[in-house]
Amino acid sequence: MGVPLLSLIVLTPAVGAFLLMFLRSDDAVRWTALAVTVLDLALCIAMLAGFDTTTPAMQFVERHPWVPALGITFSLGIDGISALFVFLTALLGTVCVLASWAAIDRRVKAFMISLLLMQALMLGVFCALDLFLFYVCWEAMLIPMYLIIGVWGGEGRVYAAFKFFLYTLAGSLVFLVGVIVLYLQGGKTFDILALTAQHLPFAVQSWLFFAFLIAFAVKVPMVPVHTWLPDAHVQAPTAGSIILAGVLLKMGAYGFLRFSLPMLPEASLHYQTLMLALSALAIVYGGLLALAQDDLKKLVAYSSISHMGFVTLGIFALNLRGLQGGILQMFNHGMTTGALFLFVGLIYERTHTRSIADYGGLMKLAPIYTTFLALFTLSSMALPGTNSFIGELLVLSGGFAANLALGAVAVLGALLGAAYLLGMYGRVALGPATARAGYKIYDVNAREIAAILPLAVFVLWVGLYPKPFLAIIDASVRHLLVQVHGEGGGQ
């Protein structure tokens, strides 16, 4: 047996969290947490280097008995759909440690332990091949996220953390019922690959589709179960917002890709128009709400709702271009919106205000900051040459092919994105300087640039040369379409 690479990737942050318990110095905690996340990122790069892009089969598969009486195993594996998100989680983990270096100055050890445990559980979600293991990781990550918001958040942190926990727990409980039904109807196994191979009656598929929809829609989040997100984002510390936007929201969309489409193909096709309509609603509604915001963090939070609407639109286009665009856009959104929340956090550390009206003329005071901010703003509005353009182009192409009217509505969302993002950047960076009593604006330092640069590289890399990223997902997307439509369908 070779090196258990996925076990190392998933368990390294957990082991790191355990080691942090024995450290006393805050600096030692910070450096150790950074070393652990960098090591995990290196393991993920090794995983991608050894990934075979020509097959849709699960790779690096590991199976270890866990609860034999119930057929539960510690099973890990990745395909083209999950590989990019394993890497994204590890990369953003490193960014989060760097972003929290100075911003978190109390209970540093507890914060870093929560951060590393959160990373381990998120990696477990993307690598799990056992439904029980998936559910344990899916549910358990609520705890460190709740603590990150509730202990280190803003003034309204307790309310925001409680609301986040209640919404996601409610969705998870419905998901648990679905898991039990799937276990009983699918041959009493938790093996995700075995369950995918089962053909369930349409009535069962339909019931499970809505059970999973409730759970996954809360995580995405889709309108109307989105209201926890702005509160959580606004109150969370910078690292919490990066995790929420960069990884946590992807788990709902990943659930559709891993469970709803391959396991419930007839129901997915039957309710396709409903899902496309909900996606188009999220795109426009999120864009309109973002347009009305003066709070910089709320603006980025509502933009996430709109951008994740493009993701679900691509997924439920149920054709090659739509699915490729939806998955790529999940990856792009993690990079771009994670970076925007990092920039909000950096300026908040300097000014202790998030009101756009309090900013102005930052181009002169912080030219490096505003230059990078321009790049991520243009990426968020899908300018050609940036990562989001490729993803959004594929999504809209697939969306128009699936439903012309709803594809046209999605274009309106793209126009709204340009309006609120250009308006925000103009007021923050290019507008007239405002009075700044009591605080001093200074440009980004070397540590902050180290957090920003990797994200900037991927914005340009995917935008200018997307082929390697599309190659990773291509075989798995084509196989998923065969599972949904049958041979030759949905291309």
Side-chain angles (χ1 to χ4, degrees):
M1 184 177 176
V3 176
L5 188 57
L6 294 185
S7 288
L8 289 174
I9 288 172
V10 172
L11 296 177
T12 292
V15 172
F18 177 74
L19 293 176
L20 291 186
M21 295 172 63
F22 301 98
L23 301 178
R24 294 185 177 181
S25 163
D26 285 350
D27 283 339
V29 167
R30 292 185 179 101
W31 281 107
T32 303
L34 180 61
V36 168
T37 55
V38 169
L39 173 60
D40 209 33
L41 179 59
L43 291 170
C44 289
I45 293 172
M47 175 269 294
L48 285 179
F51 187 82
D52 183 357
T53 60
T54 63
T55 174
M58 289 291 172
Q59 302 179 43
F60 308 102
V61 174
E62 303 172 33
R63 297 187 187 277
H64 310 284
W66 189 10
V67 188
L70 294 175
I72 298 171
T73 59
F74 184 82
S75 298
L76 304 175
I78 59 165
D79 61 0
I81 292 173
S82 51
L84 285 178
F85 305 120
V86 172
F87 172 76
L88 175 65
T89 303
L91 176 62
L92 292 182
T94 304
V95 171
C96 285
V97 172
L98 291 170
S100 307
W101 204 272
I104 303 299
D105 55 6
R106 59 187 179 87
R107 300 181 182 177
V108 175
K109 182 193 294 187
F111 179 84
M112 292 299 179
I113 288 173
S114 299
L115 201 62
L116 291 179
L117 287 176
M118 184 79 183
Q119 180 167 328
L121 293 167
M122 292 187 300
L123 289 167
V125 165
F126 291 124
C127 294
L129 289 184
D130 183 275
L131 186 53
F132 185 83
L133 174 62
F134 179 94
Y135 183 78
V136 168
C137 293
W138 174 278
E139 188 74 359
M141 67 184 176
L142 294 181
I143 299 170
M145 193 70 239
Y146 175 83
L147 294 174
I148 287 172
I149 298 172
V151 176
W152 293 276
E155 292 182 1
R157 59 186 179 273
V158 175
Y159 169 78
F162 192 64
K163 189 174 182 180
F164 159 78
F165 195 87
L166 280 183
Y167 266 73
T168 48
L169 180 63
S172 297
L173 290 175
V174 178
F175 184 41
L176 177 60
V177 176
V179 167
I180 295 170
V181 171
L182 191 58
Y183 172 77
L184 296 174
Q185 294 285 331
K188 294 188 177 180
T189 178
F190 286 106
D191 187 309
I192 289 175
L193 298 181
L195 290 168
T196 303
Q198 299 287 330
H199 181 75
L200 300 173
F202 177 74
V204 176
Q205 285 194 32
S206 188
W207 189 93
L208 285 171
F209 183 87
F210 282 100
F212 289 168
L213 172 59
I214 292 170
F216 301 151
V218 170
K219 274 283 201 297
V220 168
M222 300 178 75
V223 178
V225 288
H226 66 285
T227 58
W228 64 269
L229 182 69
D231 291 316
H233 268 313
V234 167
Q235 298 303 327
T238 299
S241 291
I242 294 172
I243 292 173
L244 272 173
V247 184
L248 203 73
L249 307 191
K250 310 301 171 292
M251 292 184 178
Y254 179 75
F256 289 128
L257 292 164
R258 183 63 72 214
F259 298 104
S260 300
L261 267 58
M263 293 184 186
L264 316 170
E266 294 172 26
S268 296
L269 286 166
H270 185 77
Y271 297 111
Q272 179 186 20
T273 303
L274 169 66
M275 298 305 298
L276 291 174
L278 288 173
S279 302
L281 173 63
I283 291 169
V284 175
Y285 186 65
L288 288 172
L289 288 173
L291 195 61
Q293 301 306 314
D294 179 64
D295 185 309
L296 190 56
K297 211 170 187 183
K298 277 190 176 181
L299 185 149
V300 180
Y302 281 117
S303 79
S304 280
I305 296 170
S306 182
H307 289 137
M308 288 304 294
F310 280 103
V311 168
T312 52
L313 182 77
I315 290 172
F316 282 95
L318 297 179
N319 54 43
L320 181 62
R321 286 167 295 175
L323 271 169
Q324 284 181 331
I327 295 170
L328 186 62
Q329 199 63 352
M330 288 166 67
F331 181 74
N332 293 337
H333 180 266
M335 294 291 178
T336 299
T337 307
L340 288 176
F341 276 116
L342 172 61
F343 276 80
V344 174
L346 293 178
I347 198 64
Y348 182 76
E349 287 176 33
R350 290 153 169 77
T351 64
H352 300 291
T353 178
R354 289 187 300 268
S355 174
I356 297 174
D358 292 339
Y359 303 138
L362 291 188
M363 180 67 81
K364 294 180 180 178
L365 298 169
I368 300 175
Y369 173 93
T370 48
T371 300
F372 277 113
L373 178 60
L375 173 65
F376 292 111
T377 300
L378 295 173
S379 167
S380 189
M381 58 183 281
L383 188 80
T386 63
N387 56 347
S388 299
F389 173 74
I390 303 298
E392 215 165 280
L393 180 65
L394 287 168
V395 166
L396 289 173
S397 177
F400 272 111
N403 189 302
L404 186 63
L406 293 174
V409 173
V411 172
L412 175 60
L415 295 174
L416 286 171
Y420 63 72
L421 287 163
L422 287 176
M424 175 274 292
Y425 187 80
R427 293 169 66 191
V428 168
L430 307 176
T434 55
R436 297 181 180 82
Y439 53 80
K440 181 181 179 182
I441 299 289
Y442 53 92
D443 217 335
V444 288
N445 57 37
R447 171 183 55 80
E448 293 164 343
I449 290 176
I452 295 166
L453 267 181
L455 304 178
V457 167
F458 280 99
V459 164
L460 295 173
W461 186 358
V462 178
L464 298 173
Y465 188 59
K467 183 179 177 180
F469 304 89
L470 291 172
I472 290 173
I473 67 177
D474 184 65
S476 294
V477 167
R478 291 179 186 274
H479 179 64
L480 181 57
L481 285 170
V482 170
Q483 291 175 306
V484 175
H485 294 280
E487 288 292 339
Q491 298 294 312

